Amino acid sequence: MTNNVLTISKSKLQGEVVLAGAKNSALRLLAASILSEEKIILKNYPSQLLDAQVHVDMLNSLGKETVLVSNDTIVIKENTNLKTNLVWDGRSIRNTLLILGALVARFGQAKVPLPGGCKLGERKYDLHVMLLEKLGADVWEEDDYLCAEAKAGLIGADIHLPIRSTGATENAIIAGSLARGVTRIWNPHIRPEILDLITMLNSMGAHIKVFGQEHIEITGVDHLKGVEHKVIADNMEAITWLAAAVITKGDIEIYDFPYADLEVVLTHLKAAGAKLYTGENSLIVRGGCCYPLEISTGPHPGINSDVQPIMAAWAAQAQGESRIVDLRFPGRYGYAKEMARMGLQYEISGDMLKVIGSSGGLKGAQVKAIDLRAGIALTLCGLAAEDETVITDAWQIGRGYVDLIPKLKALGANCSGSIG
């Protein structure tokens, strides 16, 4: 991957911004397209995201035909028999696990590269192996590949998840859609992206019911039809612009803001100094000041682990000590070391990150985006820091943000470089 660089300096962001389709939803929907040979059309699709491009290339490698009708609409067709062996020497993403589930559900066999993506502490795939085995598949590793086979097809079963895993919930939904009989997923992670996946699959003819956070019930069907579906707005991009407005003491109106998905985060940020106003189809962030905060990540509707690096950038602008606890991915504080190059004082104590903000603020420096959310957190720090900040490996940011640099410039940011 090219070592893209983003250069950014102190700015005050003002103006309007429209949210792109959600990365964390679009990737799941791409995987689910494998379940049907009919045409799938995704609108509000974030085509410029690097992870989405990797996923589409994987679909093409399997034999799907993908056509970008516009920057935000993709058509997925199937004109030949799909391969069940994904031979791939490019960058792997964690979504290969969902490709595995979709292929074995439809064809009874699959072979995909071992998953990649952000290294967030320990992210194993034992839950994915467990759920496929529960549905009747044999699963094994072969060199750098993960293989699964269900000669008689998948059979519905009760799947008890020991933790509320987003990926495992999604894979169980995808695999269970074509399994014979009834599949019940107990202790699922009910997130907006998962509800978006269920909405699309039900529109394709699946029979999926959600019983709150208790369980999901799937009655398998023999065939899923094509669909036209609109991807939900990206709640991580929404939080990013909200934080950017307050951190830079700016004024931003964010259109298509997903209020219902972010109630807990909004409550915390209001308490931590954000001045928020409701527009007709938007959130207006006007003024405000960063105060210290104390948050703990958890299952939806709690604060997503992806949010906490952004909260650390917020805390870096606050005078006083902030505390962030990420019980799911406690190894996810590596970005703090990069922020320390800009003058951040911090301490890691067990599962807790303490950020000690000061009136001295941050100073520009050369830092590295060690993963997607770390990269955007460093970008936020650079917008408030004195002097110039240079972010290397900025391609990581391009994995999750559409048109970030043009949007930043349109809001008045002093920035240049490439994240593609």
Side-chain angles (χ1 to χ4, degrees):
M1 182 63 67
T2 304
N3 183 19
N4 301 113
V5 173
L6 173 62
T7 301
I8 197 159
S9 55
K10 192 170 185 176
S11 309
K12 181 177 182 178
L13 302 190
Q14 294 179 297
E16 302 175 345
V17 68
V18 179
L19 300 176
K23 163 187 177 276
N24 287 339
S25 183
L27 296 183
R28 282 60 177 171
L29 302 179
L30 289 173
S33 73
I34 293 170
L35 295 172
S36 175
E37 76 277 9
E38 297 185 22
K39 184 191 299 183
I40 308 290
I41 301 173
L42 298 180
K43 298 200 164 192
N44 198 35
Y45 169 71
S47 65
Q48 297 175 51
L49 299 187
L50 294 182
D51 279 8
Q53 292 167 8
V54 169
H55 202 305
V56 166
D57 288 343
M58 288 179 173
L59 291 180
N60 291 335
S61 180
L62 288 171
K64 287 283 190 181
E65 178 187 327
T66 58
V67 179
L68 274 178
V69 178
S70 65
N71 279 338
D72 66 353
T73 301
I74 188 171
V75 178
I76 305 166
K77 302 177 183 178
E78 189 174 309
N79 298 323
T80 185
N81 292 331
L82 285 195
K83 301 172 186 174
T84 57
N85 183 358
L86 176 58
V87 178
W88 185 256
D89 58 6
R91 182 173 66 85
S92 180
I93 56 177
R94 194 163 177 83
N95 233 47
T96 56
L97 293 168
L98 301 189
I99 294 175
L100 181 79
L103 286 172
V104 75
R106 183 173 162 198
F107 299 106
Q109 61 183 15
K111 181 178 180 180
V112 303
L114 291 171
C118 292
K119 294 181 180 179
L120 309 178
E122 289 295 320
R123 294 187 78 186
K124 299 177 181 177
Y125 44 88
D126 55 320
L127 293 182
H128 296 262
V129 173
M130 177 273 288
L131 71 89
L132 289 175
E133 289 178 340
K134 283 281 188 182
L135 294 171
D138 294 320
V139 187
W140 69 96
E141 287 187 26
E142 193 174 284
D143 298 324
D144 292 329
Y145 284 79
L146 191 61
C147 309
E149 184 177 57
K151 292 181 180 179
L154 296 180
I155 302 171
D158 280 67
I159 298 169
H160 296 268
L161 297 178
I163 58 172
R164 285 182 175 169
S165 164
T166 301
T169 300
E170 291 162 342
N171 216 351
I173 290 169
I174 286 172
S177 295
L178 293 179
R180 296 197 310 277
V182 176
T183 298
R184 294 182 183 87
I185 309 164
W186 298 92
N187 195 34
H189 195 183
I190 306 299
R191 292 192 45 75
E193 298 85 359
I194 285 174
L195 294 176
D196 198 29
L197 172 64
I198 291 172
T199 297
M200 188 180 93
L201 287 173
N202 279 341
S203 296
M204 294 168 68
H207 295 154
I208 307 171
K209 297 179 181 178
V210 178
F211 294 86
Q213 296 281 359
E214 183 193 45
H215 79 282
I216 297 171
E217 183 175 286
I218 308 160
T219 302
V221 297
D222 294 331
H223 173 266
L224 291 174
K225 60 185 181 181
V227 72
E228 180 176 309
H229 180 80
K230 182 180 179 182
V231 182
I232 60 172
D234 195 309
N235 52 52
M236 284 304 305
E237 186 187 5
I239 289 298
T240 299
W241 294 122
L242 192 169
V246 182
I247 285 172
T248 67
K249 303 187 186 305
D251 187 333
I252 301 178
E253 184 166 8
I254 308 165
Y255 287 95
D256 297 326
F257 194 90
Y259 283 97
D261 299 342
L262 296 170
E263 290 182 41
V264 174
V265 178
L266 292 176
T267 299
H268 278 275
L269 291 183
K270 283 185 206 175
K275 302 296 183 185
L276 309 178
Y277 305 89
T278 303
E280 185 174 333
N281 182 36
S282 64
L283 174 73
I284 301 167
V285 190
R286 182 165 292 152
C289 182
C290 295
Y291 303 152
L293 46 76
E294 293 188 6
I295 64 164
S296 178
T297 65
H300 188 78
I303 298 175
N304 188 353
S305 179
D306 280 353
V307 174
Q308 60 98 342
I310 295 173
M311 298 298 93
W314 179 292
Q317 310 307 318
Q319 294 190 41
E321 182 179 288
S322 294
R323 299 185 176 194
I324 297 171
V325 176
D326 194 332
L327 295 174
R328 185 65 200 282
F329 299 121
R332 197 176 188 174
Y333 302 135
Y335 60 81
K337 184 177 180 181
E338 296 301 312
M339 289 183 181
R341 302 181 195 277
M342 304 176 71
L344 179 74
Q345 297 181 52
Y346 76 96
E347 175 187 336
I348 296 175
S349 177
D351 295 332
M352 179 184 295
L353 170 67
K354 297 179 183 179
V355 176
I356 299 92
S358 68
S359 57
L362 301 179
K363 306 293 183 184
Q366 179 167 315
V367 293
K368 180 180 179 181
I370 60 174
D371 62 50
L372 163 56
R373 304 306 172 187
I376 200 64
L378 291 169
T379 302
L380 293 173
C381 289
L383 286 168
E386 298 294 335
D387 303 323
E388 188 175 80
T389 298
V390 177
I391 304 173
T392 62
D393 280 358
W395 64 269
Q396 291 273 17
I397 308 170
R399 292 177 47 227
Y401 288 84
V402 173
D403 288 335
L404 179 68
I405 293 177
K407 286 180 177 180
L408 281 169
K409 287 183 176 180
L411 292 169
N414 299 312
C415 64
S416 61
S418 171
I419 61 173

